Amino acid sequence: MANQTTTQSVDAPVIIAGAGPAGMCIAIDLAQRGIASVILESRKKDARFAARTNLTNTRSMEHFRRWGMADALRANIPLGPEISRDIRFVTRGNGHVLANFPGGVQFADRAPFASEVSLWGPQAAIERTIRERVAALPLIDVRFEANFTEFSQSDEGVTVSYTDAQGETKQVRGLYFVGADGSRSQVRKQLGIKMAGIANLVYGFSWLFYSPQLKKIMEDNTGLAAMTWFTNEDRSSGILAPQHSDGHFQYFSAPVNEEFDGNNWEAVRAKLFADIGMEFETEVVSGGELWIHSLCAPRFKEGRVFLAGDAAHLVSPFGGFGMNASIGDSADLSWKLAAAIQGWGGQKLLDSYCSERRSIFAWIQELCEESTKHVGPSYVREGMEENSPRGEAIRNELGQSIIGAKSREFVSLGAQLGYVYRNSPIIVEDGQVAPQSTFGDYVSSAAPGARAPHVWLGDESLYDRFSEGFTLLCVNHNDAAAEALEQAAQRRGIPFKVVSVEHADLPALYEARLALIRPDHHVVWRGNALPQNVDALLATVTGSGV
């Protein structure tokens, strides 16, 4: 376990390779807990963000709320009201609408079971928001054009080497090192960790381009939606997603025949013209081919070095869990690192990061692989583009098939909110197994390991009352015995808060008078009375074993 004297000999307690969403969110969470970090990022500070992610899901938005970024992200989304938030399946841009998912992945209003709703918006806006939050926190030192080269670790800490913009080799020292350096992670390679699963699941491409003319074409024909899927007799797998109200679009396609050159913009543009049904002016920005993988590292930790985000796992984008799974890693790992650095978290707490996140990712991975099968070519029907009664009948039938198959993918609340950290060494089981949510359906539960059930208290979220550390929730009563647990936590230096809340729905949701909730909103223990040995309870949930 680290201690306060050790931190005096390091440049920052935590060194992070990679300033993508995973790495930056770890740094943000640490900074809000008073822990400094250094981020090494190979990109230039003003580098354009890749057009990949378009969704910050409900669970990620709940974390963004904790990190002070949810409102800022909403303000930064560059998609105006003329772009509906629907997900729409069409034959071509000037063709027929096959199916429409109103609101797509978003709720029109707040939901009772969550403190936030999913938000549709491009990766550029997401990363801009996260970077703005990073810049506002003085404990985060981001070093751009810093290329990680190697690390060494000992019982006392980690030394990380990198080259700066001038090519000079430099070193930075910390207590812990996090490799959040993407799918080709050099940190993972130096650890000798090889991913397992399905490599090269499907081949495709993703391009960012500019075309105000296309915006007008879509508005005048099948409509301008947040995401348009093309399904036609060319066996298209194209997807169009506006990136800005000014006419910037992402054009993504997978699977694509491997003989097709996804790096050739002229060939890609021809496919785009075919999907829209006409030619129009375009100005290419950036893009290229990509392989979609479904892979996971066998371990996310070795000594004082951790893997997070795409460095730890890769998932099919069909399901919207790429970046969002990375945000989940950040939320799990960051408070555990802080606990170890501050002296109240033990080795089992750090070890639990791997076991908890790998088990959840395995479930998400399987569900996203299944969603990858339900793409454009799988819905091709002969005659589907005919302007005839026969063609209309085919499209009606096809539309029902699409809605049946894709609904769980687009509103995947079970996968977003219903995952449970089962058999975790820092969870105190109570003999009741949390009900299994499906990919699309969320079943609320307060069984240990599950995300704490949510309610609204007027305009305030229940989560807004929780501590940055541990929270003992007293359901519809004030518990005098809570003082014993609070005092024990204070002796151990654990950030702790007792919260008494009255709400008509809480007894049924929590099925207990007391619930102990950890910093990332997961229940670690519940009961109608505190155990006699509260120190043993705290030892378990903080992984200290003493």
Side-chain angles (χ1 to χ4, degrees), residues 287-308:
E289 68 179 6
L290 55 83
W291 280 99
I292 291 173
H293 309 287
S294 186
L295 300 168
C296 187
R299 60 190 186 280
F300 297 174
K301 174 184 178 293
E302 188 165 301
R304 291 176 173 268
V305 182
F306 298 80
L307 299 175

mmCIF file of all heavy atoms in Angstrom, residues 287-308:
data_model
loop_
_atom_site.group_PDB
_atom_site.id
_atom_site.type_symbol
_atom_site.label_atom_id
_atom_site.label_comp_id
_atom_site.label_asym_id
_atom_site.label_seq_id
_atom_site.Cartn_x
_atom_site.Cartn_y
_atom_site.Cartn_z
ATOM 1 N N GLY A 287 -9.884 10.141 -42.918
ATOM 2 C CA GLY A 287 -10.502 8.826 -42.786
ATOM 3 C C GLY A 287 -9.629 7.716 -43.316
ATOM 4 O O GLY A 287 -8.466 7.920 -43.671
ATOM 5 N N GLY A 288 -10.192 6.534 -43.373
ATOM 6 C CA GLY A 288 -9.462 5.388 -43.889
ATOM 7 C C GLY A 288 -10.112 4.087 -43.470
ATOM 8 O O GLY A 288 -11.192 4.060 -42.871
ATOM 9 N N GLU A 289 -9.435 2.998 -43.794
ATOM 10 C CA GLU A 289 -9.956 1.667 -43.502
ATOM 11 C C GLU A 289 -9.832 1.355 -42.027
ATOM 12 O O GLU A 289 -9.079 2.002 -41.286
ATOM 13 C CB GLU A 289 -9.190 0.621 -44.315
ATOM 14 C CG GLU A 289 -7.737 0.467 -43.890
ATOM 15 C CD GLU A 289 -6.996 -0.595 -44.682
ATOM 16 O OE1 GLU A 289 -7.572 -1.146 -45.638
ATOM 17 O OE2 GLU A 289 -5.830 -0.880 -44.333
ATOM 18 N N LEU A 290 -10.577 0.341 -41.607
ATOM 19 C CA LEU A 290 -10.467 -0.132 -40.230
ATOM 20 C C LEU A 290 -10.905 -1.588 -40.162
ATOM 21 O O LEU A 290 -11.686 -2.068 -40.989
ATOM 22 C CB LEU A 290 -11.301 0.731 -39.283
ATOM 23 C CG LEU A 290 -12.799 0.923 -39.581
ATOM 24 C CD1 LEU A 290 -13.636 -0.241 -39.057
ATOM 25 C CD2 LEU A 290 -13.297 2.214 -38.982
ATOM 26 N N TRP A 291 -10.353 -2.258 -39.183
ATOM 27 C CA TRP A 291 -10.803 -3.603 -38.846
ATOM 28 C C TRP A 291 -11.535 -3.534 -37.521
ATOM 29 O O TRP A 291 -11.075 -2.870 -36.582
ATOM 30 C CB TRP A 291 -9.625 -4.564 -38.730
ATOM 31 C CG TRP A 291 -9.122 -5.071 -40.043
ATOM 32 C CD1 TRP A 291 -8.053 -4.628 -40.752
ATOM 33 C CD2 TRP A 291 -9.693 -6.145 -40.802
ATOM 34 N NE1 TRP A 291 -7.912 -5.352 -41.911
ATOM 35 C CE2 TRP A 291 -8.905 -6.287 -41.974
ATOM 36 C CE3 TRP A 291 -10.790 -6.988 -40.616
ATOM 37 C CZ2 TRP A 291 -9.175 -7.253 -42.936
ATOM 38 C CZ3 TRP A 291 -11.064 -7.944 -41.578
ATOM 39 C CH2 TRP A 291 -10.270 -8.066 -42.724
ATOM 40 N N ILE A 292 -12.656 -4.197 -37.450
ATOM 41 C CA ILE A 292 -13.397 -4.297 -36.194
ATOM 42 C C ILE A 292 -12.990 -5.595 -35.510
ATOM 43 O O ILE A 292 -13.059 -6.678 -36.110
ATOM 44 C CB ILE A 292 -14.913 -4.254 -36.448
ATOM 45 C CG1 ILE A 292 -15.313 -2.858 -36.933
ATOM 46 C CG2 ILE A 292 -15.691 -4.641 -35.191
ATOM 47 C CD1 ILE A 292 -16.754 -2.754 -37.361
ATOM 48 N N HIS A 293 -12.556 -5.471 -34.279
ATOM 49 C CA HIS A 293 -12.105 -6.625 -33.502
ATOM 50 C C HIS A 293 -13.004 -6.823 -32.287
ATOM 51 O O HIS A 293 -13.644 -5.887 -31.816
ATOM 52 C CB HIS A 293 -10.670 -6.419 -33.021
ATOM 53 C CG HIS A 293 -9.705 -6.019 -34.086
ATOM 54 N ND1 HIS A 293 -9.244 -6.890 -35.050
ATOM 55 C CD2 HIS A 293 -9.116 -4.820 -34.350
ATOM 56 C CE1 HIS A 293 -8.405 -6.263 -35.853
ATOM 57 N NE2 HIS A 293 -8.316 -4.993 -35.448
ATOM 58 N N SER A 294 -13.021 -8.027 -31.784
ATOM 59 C CA SER A 294 -13.695 -8.334 -30.529
ATOM 60 C C SER A 294 -12.690 -9.090 -29.660
ATOM 61 O O SER A 294 -12.614 -10.320 -29.684
ATOM 62 C CB SER A 294 -14.953 -9.179 -30.776
ATOM 63 O OG SER A 294 -15.679 -9.371 -29.586
ATOM 64 N N LEU A 295 -11.898 -8.321 -28.907
ATOM 65 C CA LEU A 295 -10.751 -8.869 -28.197
ATOM 66 C C LEU A 295 -10.689 -8.343 -26.769
ATOM 67 O O LEU A 295 -11.156 -7.240 -26.483
ATOM 68 C CB LEU A 295 -9.456 -8.477 -28.914
ATOM 69 C CG LEU A 295 -9.277 -8.941 -30.360
ATOM 70 C CD1 LEU A 295 -8.095 -8.228 -31.007
ATOM 71 C CD2 LEU A 295 -9.080 -10.451 -30.409
ATOM 72 N N CYS A 296 -10.076 -9.128 -25.910
ATOM 73 C CA CYS A 296 -9.916 -8.709 -24.516
ATOM 74 C C CYS A 296 -8.602 -9.257 -23.971
ATOM 75 O O CYS A 296 -8.238 -10.411 -24.243
ATOM 76 C CB CYS A 296 -11.081 -9.209 -23.669
ATOM 77 S SG CYS A 296 -11.092 -8.579 -21.977
ATOM 78 N N ALA A 297 -7.878 -8.425 -23.229
ATOM 79 C CA ALA A 297 -6.644 -8.871 -22.592
ATOM 80 C C ALA A 297 -6.974 -9.848 -21.460
ATOM 81 O O ALA A 297 -7.986 -9.683 -20.770
ATOM 82 C CB ALA A 297 -5.874 -7.674 -22.046
ATOM 83 N N PRO A 298 -6.144 -10.852 -21.238
ATOM 84 C CA PRO A 298 -6.411 -11.814 -20.157
ATOM 85 C C PRO A 298 -6.275 -11.201 -18.770
ATOM 86 O O PRO A 298 -6.799 -11.734 -17.799
ATOM 87 C CB PRO A 298 -5.359 -12.901 -20.389
ATOM 88 C CG PRO A 298 -4.262 -12.210 -21.129
ATOM 89 C CD PRO A 298 -4.932 -11.188 -21.987
ATOM 90 N N ARG A 299 -5.549 -10.093 -18.672
ATOM 91 C CA ARG A 299 -5.425 -9.381 -17.402
ATOM 92 C C ARG A 299 -5.219 -7.908 -17.715
ATOM 93 O O ARG A 299 -4.661 -7.534 -18.742
ATOM 94 C CB ARG A 299 -4.268 -9.933 -16.565
ATOM 95 C CG ARG A 299 -2.900 -9.835 -17.216
ATOM 96 C CD ARG A 299 -1.853 -10.609 -16.430
ATOM 97 N NE ARG A 299 -0.503 -10.412 -16.944
ATOM 98 C CZ ARG A 299 0.005 -11.036 -17.997
ATOM 99 N NH1 ARG A 299 -0.740 -11.914 -18.666
ATOM 100 N NH2 ARG A 299 1.248 -10.798 -18.397
ATOM 101 N N PHE A 300 -5.695 -7.065 -16.805
ATOM 102 C CA PHE A 300 -5.601 -5.618 -16.983
ATOM 103 C C PHE A 300 -4.584 -4.987 -16.032
ATOM 104 O O PHE A 300 -4.504 -3.770 -15.932
ATOM 105 C CB PHE A 300 -6.963 -4.944 -16.720
ATOM 106 C CG PHE A 300 -8.063 -5.336 -17.659
ATOM 107 C CD1 PHE A 300 -9.359 -4.889 -17.429
ATOM 108 C CD2 PHE A 300 -7.851 -6.133 -18.770
ATOM 109 C CE1 PHE A 300 -10.400 -5.221 -18.268
ATOM 110 C CE2 PHE A 300 -8.881 -6.487 -19.626
ATOM 111 C CZ PHE A 300 -10.164 -6.029 -19.366
ATOM 112 N N LYS A 301 -3.824 -5.815 -15.339
ATOM 113 C CA LYS A 301 -2.909 -5.312 -14.316
ATOM 114 C C LYS A 301 -1.705 -6.214 -14.188
ATOM 115 O O LYS A 301 -1.824 -7.446 -14.244
ATOM 116 C CB LYS A 301 -3.634 -5.218 -12.973
ATOM 117 C CG LYS A 301 -2.765 -4.855 -11.783
ATOM 118 C CD LYS A 301 -3.566 -4.895 -10.478
ATOM 119 C CE LYS A 301 -2.693 -4.583 -9.269
ATOM 120 N NZ LYS A 301 -1.685 -5.645 -9.028
ATOM 121 N N GLU A 302 -0.553 -5.581 -14.028
ATOM 122 C CA GLU A 302 0.649 -6.320 -13.685
ATOM 123 C C GLU A 302 1.499 -5.436 -12.786
ATOM 124 O O GLU A 302 2.034 -4.415 -13.234
ATOM 125 C CB GLU A 302 1.435 -6.718 -14.941
ATOM 126 C CG GLU A 302 2.591 -7.648 -14.638
ATOM 127 C CD GLU A 302 3.133 -8.333 -15.876
ATOM 128 O OE1 GLU A 302 2.355 -9.036 -16.556
ATOM 129 O OE2 GLU A 302 4.320 -8.154 -16.167
ATOM 130 N N GLY A 303 1.574 -5.795 -11.519
ATOM 131 C CA GLY A 303 2.300 -4.971 -10.569
ATOM 132 C C GLY A 303 1.619 -3.619 -10.398
ATOM 133 O O GLY A 303 0.436 -3.542 -10.042
ATOM 134 N N ARG A 304 2.355 -2.573 -10.700
ATOM 135 C CA ARG A 304 1.844 -1.212 -10.570
ATOM 136 C C ARG A 304 1.361 -0.632 -11.905
ATOM 137 O O ARG A 304 1.114 0.570 -12.006
ATOM 138 C CB ARG A 304 2.930 -0.308 -9.973
ATOM 139 C CG ARG A 304 3.248 -0.624 -8.520
ATOM 140 C CD ARG A 304 4.399 0.226 -8.000
ATOM 141 N NE ARG A 304 4.574 0.011 -6.556
ATOM 142 C CZ ARG A 304 4.003 0.748 -5.621
ATOM 143 N NH1 ARG A 304 3.227 1.767 -5.975
ATOM 144 N NH2 ARG A 304 4.201 0.493 -4.346
ATOM 145 N N VAL A 305 1.241 -1.476 -12.888
ATOM 146 C CA VAL A 305 0.850 -1.032 -14.228
ATOM 147 C C VAL A 305 -0.530 -1.585 -14.575
ATOM 148 O O VAL A 305 -0.786 -2.784 -14.394
ATOM 149 C CB VAL A 305 1.891 -1.470 -15.271
ATOM 150 C CG1 VAL A 305 1.506 -0.951 -16.659
ATOM 151 C CG2 VAL A 305 3.283 -0.965 -14.884
ATOM 152 N N PHE A 306 -1.389 -0.714 -15.102
ATOM 153 C CA PHE A 306 -2.767 -1.078 -15.426
ATOM 154 C C PHE A 306 -3.057 -0.764 -16.890
ATOM 155 O O PHE A 306 -2.446 0.137 -17.481
ATOM 156 C CB PHE A 306 -3.746 -0.287 -14.547
ATOM 157 C CG PHE A 306 -3.610 -0.544 -13.078
ATOM 158 C CD1 PHE A 306 -2.608 0.080 -12.338
ATOM 159 C CD2 PHE A 306 -4.473 -1.414 -12.428
ATOM 160 C CE1 PHE A 306 -2.473 -0.156 -10.987
ATOM 161 C CE2 PHE A 306 -4.353 -1.653 -11.067
ATOM 162 C CZ PHE A 306 -3.344 -1.025 -10.339
ATOM 163 N N LEU A 307 -4.013 -1.482 -17.448
ATOM 164 C CA LEU A 307 -4.514 -1.207 -18.791
ATOM 165 C C LEU A 307 -5.963 -0.736 -18.689
ATOM 166 O O LEU A 307 -6.726 -1.240 -17.866
ATOM 167 C CB LEU A 307 -4.459 -2.459 -19.668
ATOM 168 C CG LEU A 307 -3.084 -3.065 -19.916
ATOM 169 C CD1 LEU A 307 -3.214 -4.370 -20.713
ATOM 170 C CD2 LEU A 307 -2.166 -2.085 -20.647
ATOM 171 N N ALA A 308 -6.328 0.207 -19.538
ATOM 172 C CA ALA A 308 -7.703 0.723 -19.523
ATOM 173 C C ALA A 308 -8.132 1.078 -20.938
ATOM 174 O O ALA A 308 -7.311 1.411 -21.798
ATOM 175 C CB ALA A 308 -7.808 1.958 -18.624
#
